[in-house]
Amino acid sequence: MVSIVSVAKAAGVSNKTVSRVINGEPYVTEQTRERVEKAIRDLGYIPNMAARLIRSSRSNTFGIITDYVSTTPYSVDIVRGIQDWANANGKTILIANTGGSSEREVEIWKMFQSHRIDGVLYVTMYRRIVDPETGDVSIPTVMINCRPQTRELLPSIEPDDYQGARDLTQYLLERGHRRIGYIRLNPILLGAELRLEAFRRTTSEFGLTENDLSISLGMDGPVGAENNYVFAAATEMLKQDDRPTAIMSGNDEMAIQIYIAAMALGLRIPQDVSIVGFDDFRTVTMALKPELTTAALPYYDLGREGAKWLNDLIAGEKIYPGGRVVSCKLVERSSAAFRPH
Amino acid sequence: MVSIVSVAKAAGVSNKTVSRVINGEPYVTEQTRERVEKAIRDLGYIPNMAARLIRSSRSNTFGIITDYVSTTPYSVDIVRGIQDWANANGKTILIANTGGSSEREVEIWKMFQSHRIDGVLYVTMYRRIVDPETGDVSIPTVMINCRPQTRELLPSIEPDDYQGARDLTQYLLERGHRRIGYIRLNPILLGAELRLEAFRRTTSEFGLTENDLSISLGMDGPVGAENNYVFAAATEMLKQDDRPTAIMSGNDEMAIQIYIAAMALGLRIPQDVSIVGFDDFRTVTMALKPELTTAALPYYDLGREGAKWLNDLIAGEKIYPGGRVVSCKLVERSSAAFRPH
DNA sequence: GCGCGCTATGACGACGTTGTCAATTGCGAT
DNA sequence: ATCGCAATTGACAACGTCGTCATAGCGCGC
């Protein structure tokens, strides 16, 4: 492999001078610089990061440790956000998935340390509370889409499920809906509770009572292998005489089954029932006809902001103590309309 | 950061002896070994990969270069397969996404080289033909889900779209269907042609004529921002008097729209129309009710096999010249049944 | 003419690790 | 007793890069 020494030899200068050219340091004549640059091009020299790291003990590498994110279709946008920021700022990224195993997680932290990463982005597939198995060493860490048990311990950044569900509820209310169904997400998920809570509070503030609401469980059990009642629940809900004129779905994926249930009963969307989802999982929201109105989880921003924050943390700047929350934008498409009269 | 030297000092041996212990080399007494291991534990020593690499010029790192894979919900299983293999075999993985930009791709190859990766897995989101912008340097490379323009140039491994579609067609034929619809995937995609071709050939071998078939374009335009006719095409197809009793969908995602189109016309699945998909994109196949019968793209295996192959390549073994193909397994669920009579 | 400060360059060592080779010890065979 | 050999250990160099410090040339003000 061609090294700085061979370049130096080719250009007839010392290796330190080559180093200066590479790193854009001053005190090199234009003439020398050009000779060196030519040699670099001719030999196809590419700096060796490992050697550089050994000297500087700053790897310019971030580690991403996730449960399943980068191997699961849902929250890939977090990773995309991180990568985009990293590219733009000359950072390299190491990704590893625990697959849910905590032995594996311990190994990964070791592996990261052996690569002398500068910091870790701890990312989860769905919003939850976890304590990273960091070992006793302290490495700058930002948690994305999750937060630690012991509140203010690590910086964290999460989507605002509450606000998203509130906006969605208001949206339906503003369109005249007064009997609204809600099919719950798996209650294990942190977002599930918040979304439902927002739905309850917002409708109640608006003057609706529990009687106007029709809330049922859509799925439960361990995440990824849950029991699925969505189709049955939606069917039952829509078969009632005083059926809801709008249904909020725990997430977009569940909305597929609600669509099918509604259609099987001969109901048209949105003329007979309005349906809204949550997440803005494009594969679903765009494939459904009519396309699904939903609240977008700000995954991309979570990733970008998290990376930026980690960078600040490493630089020793701005150490906010606790957690931040990013709002969910309502994406209006055509699955919800004014209440039929 | 604690180094091998501090461990040596603590254990009262030379650093070379510590190195021997770490690497499990022979010629260390049990007693010495234990003293060293204790020192390692006490100090929390973790080997520095960068320093190791500098000596050995073998990084034990594979680079994954993709267009969008790791940031897109579809083919994440390829990455999962690679990662699983890598974990099991002590390899580290560097992932980078070009986002489709070829300048970016050139940068990434440089970046990989600067990290002295041992080899590259070149992965695409959907099956296609590409020529990697590798620059002139030759790095062991295996292409996954794609293949080079100039056939035998690089080893490649792809799913067998043809066989998958043939099996699916046979499945429908065996169930008595004699009028079959086909809604085409975007023709830009390599898999699209092969799947359609398999459908045509298999039905024709079975004795069906073009008249028994009803083939229409579901989408076209640039991938990711295509024009979508699926719902309209399915509706039209199913409104005919001699409508097909079964429809093959270009992929699973498109099947959502076919379901909705069928249901909007009051058709029951599978009693009135059978529907089959392609890909086994779980988010869709499991959410649809009835669940979708489909052919599974062997993404996980593609990743695992690709990584293994790359490893062999690096080790200098088994240099098969050309491309390999992995079969698609038919996953029977409940969206297809015997033809109604 | 002398010293000063600035520009331009190179010699050298250090980072953490491992390969090479030499040194030391013990033991069985000659 | 001597030799050969295996087991055990360490000293030292080298990998590629960059930080430190020294050196040399040059122009400027006194």
Side-chain angles (χ1 to χ4, degrees), chain B residues 20-217:
Chain B
R20 272 192 265 263
V21 172
I22 296 166
N23 296 292
E25 289 171 27
Y27 303 137
V28 182
T29 39
E30 197 47 42
Q31 195 194 5
T32 312
R33 185 179 303 278
E34 273 162 22
R35 260 211 335 280
V36 172
E37 273 164 358
K38 181 166 180 326
I40 290 178
R41 273 194 310 273
D42 291 350
L43 275 61
Y45 165 73
I46 295 181
N48 185 329
M49 288 305 174
R52 193 171 280 182
L53 163 60
I54 243 189
R55 286 288 311 152
S56 63
S57 60
R58 173 59 56 96
S59 61
N60 277 313
T61 301
F62 290 175
I64 302 183
I65 184 166
T66 77
D67 40 8
Y68 310 90
V69 173
S70 83
T71 54
T72 244
Y74 306 100
S75 20
V76 281
D77 266 350
I78 299 179
V79 178
R80 197 163 59 82
I82 297 172
Q83 286 187 334
D84 282 359
W85 190 92
N87 290 343
N89 293 274
K91 305 289 176 191
T92 304
I93 291 218
L94 234 41
I95 304 191
N97 301 87
T98 67
S101 141
S102 75
E103 296 88 46
R104 179 85 195 105
E105 183 174 341
V106 173
E107 277 174 38
I108 291 172
W109 281 93
K110 282 234 179 78
M111 188 266 276
F112 279 176
Q113 288 182 59
S114 79
H115 284 276
R116 302 297 190 261
I117 48 147
D118 298 332
V120 170
L121 292 162
Y122 194 95
V123 186
T124 51
M125 178 176 70
Y126 56 86
R127 188 173 176 195
R128 52 193 261 246
I129 295 174
V130 239
D131 283 312
E133 315 262 353
T134 150
D136 30 38
V137 200
S138 82
I139 298 174
T141 302
V142 171
M143 302 185 73
I144 301 183
N145 208 23
C146 52
R147 90 173 96 93
Q149 183 80 55
T150 44
R151 287 290 174 130
E152 314 288 315
L153 211 109
L154 288 173
S156 65
I157 180 167
E158 296 167 283
D160 195 342
D161 287 280
Y162 189 93
Q163 160 270 328
R166 177 167 37 76
D167 289 1
L168 237 22
T169 310
Q170 268 166 8
Y171 179 88
L172 292 177
L173 256 12
E174 283 163 11
R175 267 153 198 72
H177 296 279
R178 293 297 175 268
R179 299 197 58 77
I180 308 181
Y182 190 98
I183 298 196
R184 300 181 58 176
L185 198 48
N186 189 328
I188 290 182
L189 307 178
L190 194 54
E193 293 310 302
L194 291 165
R195 293 176 194 180
L196 179 56
E197 175 72 9
F199 173 70
R200 281 214 159 96
R201 283 240 192 111
T202 311
T203 47
S204 124
E205 279 164 18
F206 197 87
L208 301 203
T209 69
E210 277 288 322
N211 268 339
D212 305 316
L213 274 24
S214 171
I215 298 175
S216 64
L217 187 59

Side-chain angles (χ1 to χ4, degrees), chain A residues 289-308:
Chain A
K289 302 292 160 187
E291 296 182 356
L292 188 64
T293 292
T294 193
L297 246 15
Y299 280 151
Y300 183 85
D301 291 338
L302 249 32
R304 204 163 32 80
E305 292 300 311
K308 201 187 297 182

Side-chain angles (χ1 to χ4, degrees), chain A residues 172 175-179 243-247 267-275 335-341:
Chain A
L172 293 176
R175 268 151 197 73
H177 296 278
R178 294 297 176 267
R179 299 197 58 76
R243 61 174 167 76
T245 60
I247 296 186
L267 264 21
R268 294 160 305 161
I269 302 164
Q271 297 90 326
D272 301 320
V273 225
S274 288
I275 298 179
S335 65
F338 280 87
R339 168 176 61 133
H341 28 246

Side-chain angles (χ1 to χ4, degrees), chain A residues 1-2 45-51 53-54 61 70-74 76-77 79-80 83 87 92-97 104 110-111 113-116 228 231 253 256-257 259-260 263-264 281-284 286-289, chain B residues 1-2 45-51 53-54 61 70-74 76-77 79-80 83 87 92-97 104 110-111 113-116 228 231 253 256-257 259-260 263-264 281-284 286-289:
Chain A
M1 199 24 106
V2 29
Y45 166 74
I46 295 182
N48 184 329
M49 286 306 173
L53 163 60
I54 242 190
T61 301
S70 82
T71 55
T72 245
Y74 305 101
V76 281
D77 266 350
V79 178
R80 197 164 58 83
Q83 286 186 334
N87 291 344
T92 303
I93 291 214
L94 235 40
I95 305 193
N97 299 89
R104 178 85 195 105
K110 282 232 180 76
M111 187 267 276
Q113 287 182 59
S114 79
H115 284 276
R116 303 296 189 264
N228 191 322
F231 181 78
E253 213 176 327
I256 298 178
Q257 297 181 56
Y259 264 60
I260 296 179
M263 301 195 75
F281 184 41
R282 296 315 205 77
T283 312
V284 172
M286 309 293 285
L288 250 15
K289 302 292 160 187
Chain B
M1 198 25 107
V2 28
Y45 165 73
I46 295 181
N48 185 329
M49 288 305 174
L53 163 60
I54 243 189
T61 301
S70 83
T71 54
T72 244
Y74 306 100
V76 281
D77 266 350
V79 178
R80 197 163 59 82
Q83 286 187 334
N87 290 343
T92 304
I93 291 218
L94 234 41
I95 304 191
N97 301 87
R104 179 85 195 105
K110 282 234 179 78
M111 188 266 276
Q113 288 182 59
S114 79
H115 284 276
R116 302 297 190 261
N228 191 321
F231 182 78
E253 214 176 327
I256 298 179
Q257 298 181 55
Y259 265 60
I260 295 178
M263 303 196 76
F281 184 41
R282 296 314 203 78
T283 311
V284 171
M286 310 293 284
L288 250 15
K289 302 294 161 188

Side-chain angles (χ1 to χ4, degrees), chain A residues 205-222:
Chain A
E205 277 165 17
F206 197 86
L208 300 202
T209 69
E210 276 290 321
N211 268 339
D212 304 317
L213 273 26
S214 173
I215 297 176
S216 63
L217 188 59
M219 42 190 12
D220 64 5

